[in-house]
Amino acid sequence: MAGSEFGTIFKVTTWGESHGKAIGAVVDGCPAGLPLCEEDIQAYLNRRKPGQSRYTTARAEGDRVEILSGVFEGRTTGTPISMMIWNTDQRSRDYGNIMEVYRPGHADYTFDMKYGFRDYRGGGRSSGRETAGRVAAGAIAAKFLASLGIRVQAYTSAIGDVSIDRSRFSWEEMGKNRLYMPDRTAAEQAERLLERRMAERDSVGGVVECVIWGMPAGVGEPVFEKLDANLAKAVMSIGAVKGVEIGDGFRAALSRGSENNDEFHTDGNGTVKRTNHGGGILGGLSDGSEIFLRAAFKPTPSIAKPQHTVTRDGRETMIEIVGRHDPVIVPRAVVVVETMAALTAADLLLQSMTSRLDRIQAFFGVSAQPED
Ligand SMILES: Cc1cc2nc3c(=O)[nH]c(=O)nc-3n(C[C@H](O)[C@H](O)[C@H](O)COP(=O)(O)O)c2cc1C
Protein backbone atom coordinates (compact mmCIF):
# COMPACT_ATOMS: atom_id res chain seq x y z
CA MET A 1 0.00 0.00 0.00
CA ALA A 2 1.47 3.37 -0.95
CA GLY A 3 1.13 6.35 1.36
CA SER A 4 2.77 4.93 4.48
CA GLU A 5 5.77 7.26 4.35
CA PHE A 6 6.03 10.77 5.78
CA GLY A 7 8.81 13.38 5.64
CA THR A 8 11.67 14.31 3.33
CA ILE A 9 14.85 14.24 5.45
CA PHE A 10 13.55 13.05 8.83
CA LYS A 11 11.50 10.29 7.25
CA VAL A 12 9.12 7.77 8.82
CA THR A 13 7.46 4.69 7.38
CA THR A 14 4.81 3.04 9.55
CA TRP A 15 3.80 -0.57 8.98
CA GLY A 16 1.46 -3.22 10.35
CA GLU A 17 -2.23 -3.88 10.90
CA SER A 18 -4.19 -3.71 14.13
CA HIS A 19 -4.61 -7.50 14.27
CA GLY A 20 -1.42 -8.59 12.52
CA LYS A 21 1.59 -9.98 14.38
CA ALA A 22 3.16 -6.63 15.13
CA ILE A 23 3.08 -2.98 14.26
CA GLY A 24 5.94 -0.53 13.94
CA ALA A 25 7.89 2.20 12.23
CA VAL A 26 11.20 2.83 10.52
CA VAL A 27 12.76 6.26 10.97
CA ASP A 28 15.44 7.21 8.47
CA GLY A 29 17.36 10.50 8.55
CA CYS A 30 17.66 10.97 12.29
CA PRO A 31 21.10 12.54 12.90
CA ALA A 32 23.72 10.33 14.56
CA GLY A 33 24.65 10.92 18.20
CA LEU A 34 21.19 11.46 19.71
CA PRO A 35 20.95 9.63 23.06
CA LEU A 36 18.04 7.20 22.67
CA CYS A 37 16.67 4.19 24.52
CA GLU A 38 13.42 2.22 24.47
CA GLU A 39 12.17 4.02 27.58
CA ASP A 40 12.28 7.38 25.73
CA ILE A 41 9.81 5.95 23.21
CA GLN A 42 7.82 3.91 25.73
CA ALA A 43 6.93 7.06 27.70
CA TYR A 44 5.11 8.38 24.62
CA LEU A 45 3.46 5.06 23.76
CA ASN A 46 2.11 4.78 27.30
CA ARG A 47 0.14 7.98 26.74
CA ARG A 48 -1.50 6.49 23.62
CA LYS A 49 -2.20 2.97 24.74
CA PRO A 50 -5.70 1.75 25.51
CA GLY A 51 -7.07 0.90 28.93
CA GLN A 52 -5.86 4.04 30.72
CA SER A 53 -9.32 4.92 31.97
CA ARG A 54 -12.99 4.05 31.68
CA TYR A 55 -13.10 6.22 28.57
CA THR A 56 -10.42 4.40 26.61
CA THR A 57 -10.89 0.90 25.24
CA ALA A 58 -10.10 -2.02 27.50
CA ARG A 59 -7.98 -3.76 24.86
CA ALA A 60 -4.82 -4.70 26.80
CA GLU A 61 -2.45 -3.86 23.97
CA GLY A 62 0.70 -3.93 26.09
CA ASP A 63 2.49 -1.74 23.59
CA ARG A 64 6.09 -2.55 24.56
CA VAL A 65 8.44 -1.13 21.96
CA GLU A 66 11.63 -2.85 20.82
CA ILE A 67 14.34 -0.97 18.94
CA LEU A 68 15.75 -3.34 16.33
CA SER A 69 18.35 -1.14 14.64
CA GLY A 70 19.95 2.27 14.36
CA VAL A 71 21.01 2.66 18.01
CA PHE A 72 24.41 1.63 19.39
CA GLU A 73 25.70 2.17 22.91
CA GLY A 74 22.67 4.31 23.70
CA ARG A 75 23.00 6.71 20.76
CA THR A 76 21.55 6.89 17.28
CA THR A 77 24.00 5.81 14.56
CA GLY A 78 22.48 7.83 11.69
CA THR A 79 21.18 4.62 10.08
CA PRO A 80 17.49 3.55 9.91
CA ILE A 81 15.91 3.11 13.33
CA SER A 82 13.48 0.22 13.16
CA MET A 83 10.94 -0.16 15.96
CA MET A 84 8.49 -2.94 16.60
CA ILE A 85 5.54 -3.39 18.95
CA TRP A 86 4.06 -6.90 19.16
CA ASN A 87 0.27 -7.09 18.98
CA THR A 88 -0.56 -9.14 22.04
CA ASP A 89 -4.32 -8.81 22.48
CA GLN A 90 -5.92 -9.13 19.08
CA ARG A 91 -9.30 -10.74 19.67
CA SER A 92 -10.30 -11.09 16.03
CA ARG A 93 -13.56 -12.74 17.05
CA ASP A 94 -14.71 -9.41 18.49
CA TYR A 95 -14.80 -8.20 14.92
CA GLY A 96 -16.60 -11.19 13.40
CA ASN A 97 -19.85 -9.21 13.21
CA ILE A 98 -18.34 -6.62 10.86
CA MET A 99 -16.78 -9.10 8.44
CA GLU A 100 -19.57 -8.77 5.87
CA VAL A 101 -20.98 -5.41 6.96
CA TYR A 102 -19.73 -1.84 6.56
CA ARG A 103 -19.45 0.22 9.76
CA PRO A 104 -20.95 3.69 9.20
CA GLY A 105 -18.29 6.37 9.76
CA HIS A 106 -15.38 3.91 9.50
CA ALA A 107 -13.20 3.05 6.50
CA ASP A 108 -14.66 -0.42 5.71
CA TYR A 109 -16.66 0.61 2.65
CA THR A 110 -13.94 2.80 1.12
CA PHE A 111 -11.18 0.20 1.70
CA ASP A 112 -13.35 -2.42 0.00
CA MET A 113 -14.02 -0.09 -2.95
CA LYS A 114 -10.30 0.68 -3.30
CA TYR A 115 -8.78 -2.79 -2.84
CA GLY A 116 -11.69 -5.18 -3.43
CA PHE A 117 -10.65 -6.92 -0.23
CA ARG A 118 -10.04 -5.74 3.33
CA ASP A 119 -8.62 -6.77 6.68
CA TYR A 120 -11.88 -6.58 8.64
CA ARG A 121 -10.18 -7.37 11.97
CA GLY A 122 -10.39 -3.95 13.57
CA GLY A 123 -9.91 -2.07 10.33
CA GLY A 124 -6.34 -3.15 9.49
CA ARG A 125 -4.34 -0.07 8.47
CA SER A 126 -7.34 2.22 9.02
CA SER A 127 -7.38 1.31 12.71
CA GLY A 128 -6.33 3.82 15.34
CA ARG A 129 -3.70 1.23 16.24
CA GLU A 130 -1.63 2.34 13.24
CA THR A 131 -0.85 5.50 15.21
CA ALA A 132 1.38 3.51 17.60
CA GLY A 133 4.06 3.53 14.86
CA ARG A 134 3.72 7.28 14.38
CA VAL A 135 3.96 7.90 18.11
CA ALA A 136 7.12 5.78 18.36
CA ALA A 137 8.69 7.71 15.46
CA GLY A 138 7.49 11.07 16.75
CA ALA A 139 9.01 10.36 20.17
CA ILE A 140 12.41 10.30 18.44
CA ALA A 141 11.62 13.53 16.60
CA ALA A 142 10.60 15.13 19.92
CA LYS A 143 13.88 14.05 21.51
CA PHE A 144 15.83 15.43 18.55
CA LEU A 145 13.93 18.74 18.83
CA ALA A 146 14.53 18.87 22.60
CA SER A 147 18.28 18.65 21.91
CA LEU A 148 17.84 21.98 20.07
CA GLY A 149 15.70 23.56 22.79
CA ILE A 150 12.43 23.01 20.90
CA ARG A 151 9.49 21.56 22.83
CA VAL A 152 6.11 20.25 21.60
CA GLN A 153 3.10 19.70 23.86
CA ALA A 154 -0.54 18.88 23.09
CA TYR A 155 -3.59 18.70 25.34
CA THR A 156 -7.37 18.25 25.14
CA SER A 157 -9.20 21.56 24.84
CA ALA A 158 -12.73 20.19 24.34
CA ILE A 159 -14.74 16.98 24.65
CA GLY A 160 -18.09 17.31 22.91
CA ASP A 161 -19.43 20.74 23.88
CA VAL A 162 -17.37 20.93 27.09
CA SER A 163 -14.42 23.29 26.48
CA ILE A 164 -11.64 24.31 28.81
CA ASP A 165 -11.89 27.74 30.42
CA ARG A 166 -8.57 29.49 29.63
CA SER A 167 -8.69 31.43 32.90
CA ARG A 168 -8.38 28.05 34.69
CA PHE A 169 -5.66 26.68 32.38
CA SER A 170 -3.18 24.52 34.32
CA TRP A 171 -0.43 22.34 32.83
CA GLU A 172 -0.19 20.53 36.15
CA GLU A 173 -3.88 19.59 36.01
CA MET A 174 -3.47 18.28 32.46
CA GLY A 175 -1.00 15.70 33.74
CA LYS A 176 -3.40 14.62 36.49
CA ASN A 177 -6.61 13.75 34.67
CA ARG A 178 -6.84 10.94 32.13
CA LEU A 179 -8.61 13.13 29.60
CA TYR A 180 -5.46 15.35 29.40
CA MET A 181 -7.56 18.49 29.98
CA PRO A 182 -5.69 21.42 31.55
CA ASP A 183 -8.81 22.47 33.51
CA ARG A 184 -10.13 20.25 36.30
CA THR A 185 -13.69 21.61 36.21
CA ALA A 186 -13.96 21.03 32.47
CA ALA A 187 -12.51 17.53 32.89
CA GLU A 188 -15.18 16.69 35.48
CA GLN A 189 -17.95 18.03 33.22
CA ALA A 190 -16.51 16.08 30.28
CA GLU A 191 -16.53 12.88 32.34
CA ARG A 192 -20.22 13.38 33.10
CA LEU A 193 -20.91 13.92 29.39
CA LEU A 194 -19.00 10.73 28.55
CA GLU A 195 -21.01 8.75 31.13
CA ARG A 196 -24.24 9.93 29.50
CA ARG A 197 -23.06 9.09 25.98
CA MET A 198 -21.81 5.66 27.06
CA ALA A 199 -25.17 4.90 28.68
CA GLU A 200 -26.76 5.84 25.36
CA ARG A 201 -24.27 3.47 23.57
CA ASP A 202 -22.99 6.49 21.69
CA SER A 203 -19.73 8.43 21.34
CA VAL A 204 -18.33 11.98 21.50
CA GLY A 205 -15.81 14.08 19.53
CA GLY A 206 -13.49 16.81 20.70
CA VAL A 207 -10.57 19.13 20.10
CA VAL A 208 -6.82 18.76 20.66
CA GLU A 209 -4.54 21.81 20.77
CA CYS A 210 -0.78 21.70 20.27
CA VAL A 211 2.00 24.22 20.96
CA ILE A 212 5.59 24.21 19.69
CA TRP A 213 8.01 26.40 21.65
CA GLY A 214 11.51 27.43 20.66
CA MET A 215 11.27 27.02 16.88
CA PRO A 216 13.70 29.52 15.31
CA ALA A 217 12.33 31.95 12.70
CA GLY A 218 12.50 30.96 9.04
CA VAL A 219 11.65 27.23 9.16
CA GLY A 220 9.40 26.01 6.32
CA GLU A 221 9.77 25.90 2.52
CA PRO A 222 7.85 28.12 0.15
CA VAL A 223 5.64 27.43 -1.68
CA PHE A 224 4.26 23.88 -1.51
CA GLU A 225 6.17 22.80 1.59
CA LYS A 226 5.05 25.53 3.95
CA LEU A 227 5.25 24.78 7.64
CA ASP A 228 1.51 25.34 8.15
CA ALA A 229 0.64 23.24 5.07
CA ASN A 230 2.80 20.38 6.32
CA LEU A 231 1.42 20.59 9.85
CA ALA A 232 -2.11 20.51 8.46
CA LYS A 233 -1.32 17.45 6.35
CA ALA A 234 0.42 15.70 9.24
CA VAL A 235 -2.47 16.22 11.63
CA MET A 236 -5.20 15.62 9.05
CA SER A 237 -3.60 12.25 8.28
CA ILE A 238 -4.62 11.04 11.76
CA GLY A 239 -7.83 8.99 11.63
CA ALA A 240 -10.95 10.88 12.73
CA VAL A 241 -9.42 14.38 12.35
CA LYS A 242 -11.91 16.50 10.43
CA GLY A 243 -10.43 19.99 10.79
CA VAL A 244 -7.10 21.69 11.48
CA GLU A 245 -6.62 25.33 12.42
CA ILE A 246 -3.36 27.29 12.68
CA GLY A 247 -3.45 30.25 15.07
CA ASP A 248 -6.92 31.78 15.07
CA GLY A 249 -7.87 29.55 12.13
CA PHE A 250 -11.48 29.97 11.04
CA ARG A 251 -12.00 32.81 13.53
CA ALA A 252 -9.53 34.92 11.50
CA ALA A 253 -12.16 35.09 8.77
CA LEU A 254 -14.41 37.06 11.12
CA SER A 255 -11.87 39.62 12.32
CA ARG A 256 -10.49 42.84 10.81
CA GLY A 257 -6.93 43.26 9.56
CA SER A 258 -6.25 45.64 12.42
CA GLU A 259 -7.36 42.94 14.88
CA ASN A 260 -5.78 39.94 13.19
CA ASN A 261 -2.33 41.37 12.39
CA ASP A 262 0.31 40.66 15.02
CA GLU A 263 2.17 43.97 15.27
CA PHE A 264 5.95 43.88 15.47
CA HIS A 265 7.96 45.46 18.27
CA THR A 266 11.53 45.25 19.41
CA ASP A 267 12.54 44.23 22.90
CA GLY A 268 16.22 45.13 22.60
CA ASN A 269 17.18 41.56 21.63
CA GLY A 270 15.23 41.41 18.39
CA THR A 271 11.82 41.51 16.77
CA VAL A 272 8.90 40.37 18.92
CA LYS A 273 5.11 40.23 18.69
CA ARG A 274 2.75 40.78 21.59
CA THR A 275 -0.14 38.84 20.06
CA ASN A 276 -0.13 35.59 18.10
CA HIS A 277 -3.23 35.38 15.93
CA GLY A 278 -1.07 33.89 13.16
CA GLY A 279 -0.06 30.91 15.31
CA GLY A 280 3.68 31.57 14.88
CA ILE A 281 3.74 31.15 11.09
CA LEU A 282 3.91 33.81 8.35
CA GLY A 283 4.25 33.00 4.65
CA GLY A 284 4.55 29.34 5.57
CA LEU A 285 7.67 30.04 7.68
CA SER A 286 8.01 30.05 11.46
CA ASP A 287 8.26 33.59 12.87
CA GLY A 288 10.10 32.65 16.07
CA SER A 289 7.02 32.79 18.35
CA GLU A 290 4.93 29.89 19.68
CA ILE A 291 3.44 27.72 16.95
CA PHE A 292 -0.17 26.92 17.76
CA LEU A 293 -2.53 24.49 16.08
CA ARG A 294 -5.86 22.88 16.80
CA ALA A 295 -7.36 19.61 15.54
CA ALA A 296 -11.06 18.69 15.54
CA PHE A 297 -11.83 14.98 16.06
CA LYS A 298 -15.14 13.45 15.12
CA PRO A 299 -16.93 11.10 17.55
CA THR A 300 -15.68 7.48 17.54
CA PRO A 301 -17.46 5.88 14.58
CA SER A 302 -17.82 2.39 16.15
CA ILE A 303 -20.81 2.63 18.48
CA ALA A 304 -23.05 0.02 20.07
CA LYS A 305 -26.24 1.92 19.19
CA PRO A 306 -28.11 0.22 16.31
CA GLN A 307 -27.44 1.85 12.92
CA HIS A 308 -28.56 1.25 9.35
CA THR A 309 -25.95 -0.12 6.97
CA VAL A 310 -25.46 -2.53 4.07
CA THR A 311 -23.66 -5.85 3.63
CA ARG A 312 -20.84 -6.43 1.15
CA ASP A 313 -23.37 -8.05 -1.20
CA GLY A 314 -25.67 -5.04 -1.06
CA ARG A 315 -28.41 -6.03 1.42
CA GLU A 316 -29.76 -3.49 3.91
CA THR A 317 -29.25 -4.50 7.53
CA MET A 318 -28.74 -3.12 11.04
CA ILE A 319 -25.42 -3.10 12.90
CA GLU A 320 -24.57 -2.94 16.63
CA ILE A 321 -20.81 -2.83 17.11
CA VAL A 322 -19.87 -5.09 20.00
CA GLY A 323 -16.04 -4.83 19.90
CA ARG A 324 -14.19 -2.68 22.42
CA HIS A 325 -14.04 0.94 21.27
CA ASP A 326 -13.26 4.26 22.94
CA PRO A 327 -16.38 6.39 23.58
CA VAL A 328 -14.06 9.30 22.71
CA ILE A 329 -10.85 9.22 20.65
CA VAL A 330 -9.40 12.52 21.82
CA PRO A 331 -7.51 11.57 25.05
CA ARG A 332 -5.51 8.87 23.25
CA ALA A 333 -5.02 11.10 20.21
CA VAL A 334 -3.37 13.94 22.17
CA VAL A 335 0.05 12.30 21.92
CA VAL A 336 -0.59 11.41 18.27
CA VAL A 337 -1.13 15.09 17.39
CA GLU A 338 1.94 16.03 19.43
CA THR A 339 4.20 13.48 17.73
CA MET A 340 2.93 14.28 14.21
CA ALA A 341 3.71 17.96 14.93
CA ALA A 342 7.17 16.93 16.19
CA LEU A 343 7.86 14.87 13.06
CA THR A 344 6.86 17.81 10.85
CA ALA A 345 8.92 20.32 12.82
CA ALA A 346 12.00 18.07 12.81
CA ASP A 347 11.77 17.42 9.08
CA LEU A 348 11.27 21.05 8.07
CA LEU A 349 13.98 22.21 10.45
CA LEU A 350 16.47 19.89 8.74
CA GLN A 351 15.24 20.94 5.28
CA SER A 352 15.78 24.60 6.24
CA MET A 353 19.49 24.01 6.84
CA THR A 354 20.20 24.37 3.12
CA SER A 355 18.48 27.72 2.58
CA ARG A 356 21.42 30.10 3.27
CA LEU A 357 24.89 30.14 1.70
CA ASP A 358 26.48 31.74 4.78
CA ARG A 359 25.22 28.87 6.96
CA ILE A 360 26.37 26.22 4.49
CA GLN A 361 29.81 27.87 4.48
CA ALA A 362 29.79 27.91 8.29
CA PHE A 363 28.73 24.23 8.38
CA PHE A 364 31.67 23.18 6.16
CA GLY A 365 34.04 25.57 7.94
CA VAL A 366 34.88 27.61 4.83
CA SER A 367 34.88 31.37 4.58
CA ALA A 368 33.07 33.26 1.84
CA GLN A 369 35.01 32.93 -1.43
CA PRO A 370 35.85 35.95 -3.62
CA GLU A 371 33.48 36.14 -6.60
CA ASP A 372 36.24 36.05 -9.28
C1 LIG B 1 -5.80 7.01 18.58
C2 LIG B 1 -7.01 6.64 17.77
C3 LIG B 1 -7.88 5.67 18.27
C4 LIG B 1 -9.03 5.32 17.55
N1 LIG B 1 -9.86 4.38 18.08
C5 LIG B 1 -10.99 4.04 17.40
C6 LIG B 1 -11.90 3.07 17.94
O1 LIG B 1 -11.68 2.51 19.03
N2 LIG B 1 -13.00 2.78 17.21
C7 LIG B 1 -13.29 3.39 16.01
O2 LIG B 1 -14.30 3.11 15.40
N3 LIG B 1 -12.46 4.31 15.49
C8 LIG B 1 -11.32 4.66 16.15
N4 LIG B 1 -10.47 5.59 15.61
C9 LIG B 1 -10.90 6.33 14.39
C10 LIG B 1 -10.77 5.56 13.11
O3 LIG B 1 -9.45 5.09 12.94
C11 LIG B 1 -11.20 6.45 11.93
O4 LIG B 1 -12.37 7.13 12.22
C12 LIG B 1 -11.39 5.61 10.68
O5 LIG B 1 -10.14 5.16 10.21
C13 LIG B 1 -12.06 6.38 9.53
O6 LIG B 1 -11.25 7.47 9.13
P1 LIG B 1 -11.78 8.98 9.14
O7 LIG B 1 -12.57 9.15 10.40
O8 LIG B 1 -10.51 9.82 9.16
O9 LIG B 1 -12.60 9.20 7.91
C14 LIG B 1 -9.31 5.95 16.30
C15 LIG B 1 -8.43 6.92 15.81
C16 LIG B 1 -7.29 7.27 16.54
C17 LIG B 1 -6.38 8.33 15.98
Side-chain angles (χ1 to χ4, degrees):
M1 187 202 299
S4 293
E5 207 175 81
F6 182 81
T8 301
I9 297 183
F10 197 108
K11 217 178 226 181
V12 53
T13 305
T14 71
W15 55 266
E17 293 79 31
S18 63
H19 286 60
K21 275 194 179 168
I23 199 152
V26 179
V27 170
D28 204 2
C30 179
L34 181 74
L36 188 70
C37 64
E38 286 172 352
E39 267 321 302
D40 291 327
I41 297 161
Q42 196 60 50
Y44 280 78
L45 284 170
N46 290 348
R47 289 167 58 197
R48 193 215 71 94
K49 78 178 180 192
Q52 299 175 60
S53 74
R54 238 171 95 53
Y55 312 114
T56 58
T57 135
R59 282 190 305 262
E61 289 182 46
D63 277 8
R64 291 303 307 179
V65 69
E66 289 175 38
I67 298 177
L68 305 180
S69 66
V71 178
F72 182 62
E73 292 182 341
R75 300 206 298 163
T76 56
T77 59
T79 59
I81 305 167
S82 186
M83 292 167 290
M84 187 170 72
I85 303 152
W86 292 103
N87 287 330
T88 53
D89 184 39
Q90 330 93 309
R91 293 197 212 166
S92 297
R93 65 181 181 278
D94 277 355
Y95 296 98
N97 68 330
I98 56 167
M99 201 158 74
E100 295 297 330
V101 178
Y102 299 129
R103 286 171 296 173
H106 216 294
D108 306 337
Y109 173 72
T110 47
F111 266 58
D112 236 0
M113 291 301 105
K114 180 170 172 67
Y115 299 107
F117 167 75
R118 77 188 153 94
D119 182 345
Y120 54 80
R121 305 162 307 166
R125 287 290 283 167
S126 73
S127 162
R129 179 133 186 85
E130 180 273 332
T131 60
R134 300 166 184 239
V135 170
I140 301 175
K143 189 137 199 226
F144 163 65
L145 292 172
S147 76
L148 299 167
I150 301 166
R151 204 159 63 81
V152 189
Q153 179 76 62
Y155 55 88
T156 302
S157 70
I159 298 227
D161 60 2
V162 179
S163 295
I164 56 164
D165 179 335
R166 284 178 208 272
S167 68
R168 290 195 296 255
F169 194 106
S170 155
W171 287 111
E172 200 190 336
E173 179 53 38
M174 185 208 60
K176 284 191 198 155
N177 69 73
R178 297 280 89 186
L179 299 178
Y180 297 103
M181 278 185 124
D183 169 356
R184 183 202 291 234
T185 309
E188 286 166 0
Q189 286 168 355
E191 289 197 7
R192 286 197 288 276
L193 173 68
L194 284 166
E195 293 294 342
R196 288 201 299 277
R197 292 294 173 269
M198 282 166 82
E200 293 158 0
R201 306 165 83 194
D202 218 332
S203 62
V204 184
V207 179
V208 174
E209 292 178 351
C210 183
V211 189
I212 307 176
W213 294 273
M215 189 71 136
V219 172
E221 299 296 322
V223 290
F224 295 117
E225 303 299 340
K226 292 178 173 177
L227 179 55
D228 41 5
N230 274 283
L231 284 169
K233 178 180 174 179
V235 174
M236 197 60 122
S237 75
I238 303 168
V241 171
K242 292 297 136 194
V244 178
E245 293 183 308
I246 308 285
D248 283 0
F250 272 69
R251 277 183 296 141
L254 302 173
S255 70
R256 299 171 183 222
S258 56
E259 294 162 338
N260 186 61
N261 291 344
D262 300 309
E263 293 181 335
F264 291 115
H265 301 269
T266 175
D267 66 355
N269 294 319
T271 305
V272 293
K273 307 176 322 179
R274 294 186 187 142
T275 55
N276 193 14
H277 300 291
I281 302 175
L282 285 170
L285 313 178
S286 55
D287 69 11
S289 62
E290 285 174 13
I291 294 168
F292 178 84
L293 67 88
R294 185 181 281 124
F297 281 82
K298 74 182 190 184
T300 315
S302 299
I303 52 172
K305 197 173 187 150
Q307 302 172 87
H308 287 275
T309 188
V310 293
T311 60
R312 291 191 79 207
D313 55 12
R315 276 179 300 108
E316 290 218 6
T317 184
M318 296 299 286
I319 183 170
E320 291 174 33
I321 298 162
V322 296
R324 293 156 294 172
H325 296 279
D326 298 347
V328 62
I329 290 166
V330 164
R332 293 181 56 208
V334 166
V335 71
V336 186
V337 172
E338 190 176 302
T339 47
M340 285 310 294
L343 282 166
T344 310
D347 189 40
L348 286 181
L349 195 93
L350 290 170
Q351 287 185 50
S352 289
M353 286 180 70
T354 60
S355 45
R356 280 172 61 161
L357 179 61
D358 56 347
R359 292 189 183 159
I360 296 171
Q361 286 165 331
F363 178 80
F364 287 107
V366 295
S367 46
Q369 302 295 299
E371 284 183 21
D372 288 305

